[in-house]
Amino acid sequence: MAMPAFPSAEFESGSFNVRPAVLADLHEVAEVLAKSFYPPLGWQRWFYPLFRFSIYEDLKQRLQGGHEHYRCLTAIAPDRHTRQPTVVGTVEVAYRQPTLWTFNRSQWVYLSNLAVGQGYRRQGVARRLLQAAERLSLDWGFQELSLHVMANNNQARQLYQTMGYQIHRMEPTLFSLLNFQSSRLLLKKNVGPQPPQFYPQCAGSTPPKPVR
């Protein structure tokens, strides 16, 4: 299935650009994700090929699913050695259907699997991926985005905070209850137009003149 043109999610920043992934990108996307979430260190190096293959197959299934409101966005930059275009970062963007027991039935978009290659971090790649995801959400007609982050991931939490994401709730997991890992935080952001702010006027004060 051909990927439809989507220029509103494509933009350049410095030496990299963001665009929707195609099937040919998935091996590199899986590599970035596997090294970010399952680095081949210690005992994990024996299972690393399995982790990478599983991620690839999951990505392939979602990309070929043809869902109208799903994109895997990729940041593309020249490889430092070959200078060939390569995937240096990624994030998945998908519409989430409210469950039957959800009190708030508002529609929202969920961000997942945000990752940046080791040699390309702290260069604005993650920020640009989030900005592209927000623009994509607005183009789909959704104004609310949400994502999860581990409570002890201070670097990621700082990025999301500077991008305007706020904590919605803490979600303990079985492993966090057993003190094996930190709890998850659900963060949300409204990217729709904000209502105008009105400031009270003191008695006898002159309202400010509009800037021309």
Side-chain angles (χ1 to χ4, degrees), residues 115-186:
V116 178
Q118 182 70 36
Y120 298 87
R121 294 172 185 171
R122 296 186 178 276
Q123 299 180 39
V125 177
R127 184 178 295 272
R128 293 301 180 184
L129 284 166
L130 290 172
Q131 290 173 341
E134 293 172 8
R135 292 171 59 183
L136 177 59
S137 178
L138 286 174
D139 282 355
W140 285 346
F142 305 115
Q143 298 183 0
E144 187 175 71
L145 292 94
S146 65
L147 56 87
H148 281 99
V149 64
M150 303 305 292
N152 63 349
N153 191 343
N154 295 323
Q155 185 175 343
R157 289 182 61 181
Q158 183 177 9
L159 168 65
Y160 297 137
Q161 183 178 1
T162 61
M163 293 288 292
Y165 290 83
Q166 299 180 346
I167 298 176
H168 181 66
R169 65 171 176 261
M170 177 178 288
E171 299 181 347
T173 64
L174 175 61
F175 290 109
S176 67
L177 293 175
L178 296 174
N179 293 323
F180 290 141
Q181 67 175 200
S182 177
S183 297
R184 296 195 315 171
L185 300 176
L186 177 64

Side-chain angles (χ1 to χ4, degrees), residues 6-197:
F6 194 69
S8 60
E10 299 178 7
F11 55 91
E12 294 187 357
S13 174
S15 60
F16 65 89
N17 64 84
V18 174
R19 61 165 174 77
V22 295
L23 285 175
D25 298 322
L26 294 191
H27 284 290
E28 293 181 357
V29 174
E31 186 79 17
V32 170
L33 288 170
K35 285 185 175 179
S36 297
F37 297 115
Y38 307 100
L41 303 173
W43 64 268
Q44 286 193 163
R45 71 180 184 272
W46 301 107
F47 297 95
Y48 179 78
L50 179 62
F51 292 147
R52 183 178 55 196
F53 176 76
S54 178
I55 291 172
Y56 170 82
E57 288 297 320
D58 288 343
L59 285 168
K60 182 179 178 182
Q61 183 178 9
R62 288 194 290 272
L63 197 61
Q64 291 182 324
H67 196 288
E68 179 184 4
H69 296 136
Y70 169 81
R71 293 291 187 279
C72 176
L73 299 180
T74 56
I76 308 295
D79 183 88
R80 298 186 186 279
H81 303 289
T82 66
R83 308 306 300 170
Q84 295 298 314
T86 187
V87 175
V88 300
T90 182
V91 66
E92 291 185 78
V93 189
Y95 165 72
R96 287 291 180 91
Q97 182 73 34
T99 57
L100 295 176
W101 55 86
T102 302
F103 178 76
N104 184 358
R105 302 291 293 174
S106 61
Q107 298 176 321
W108 46 281
V109 167
Y110 186 74
L111 308 183
S112 61
N113 292 333
L114 174 64
V116 178
Q118 182 70 36
Y120 298 87
R121 294 172 185 171
R122 296 186 178 276
Q123 299 180 39
V125 177
R127 184 178 295 272
R128 293 301 180 184
L129 284 166
L130 290 172
Q131 290 173 341
E134 293 172 8
R135 292 171 59 183
L136 177 59
S137 178
L138 286 174
D139 282 355
W140 285 346
F142 305 115
Q143 298 183 0
E144 187 175 71
L145 292 94
S146 65
L147 56 87
H148 281 99
V149 64
M150 303 305 292
N152 63 349
N153 191 343
N154 295 323
Q155 185 175 343
R157 289 182 61 181
Q158 183 177 9
L159 168 65
Y160 297 137
Q161 183 178 1
T162 61
M163 293 288 292
Y165 290 83
Q166 299 180 346
I167 298 176
H168 181 66
R169 65 171 176 261
M170 177 178 288
E171 299 181 347
T173 64
L174 175 61
F175 290 109
S176 67
L177 293 175
L178 296 174
N179 293 323
F180 290 141
Q181 67 175 200
S182 177
S183 297
R184 296 195 315 171
L185 300 176
L186 177 64
L187 309 185
K188 289 193 174 185
K189 178 180 180 179
N190 192 303
V191 293
Q194 301 300 312
Q197 295 182 342

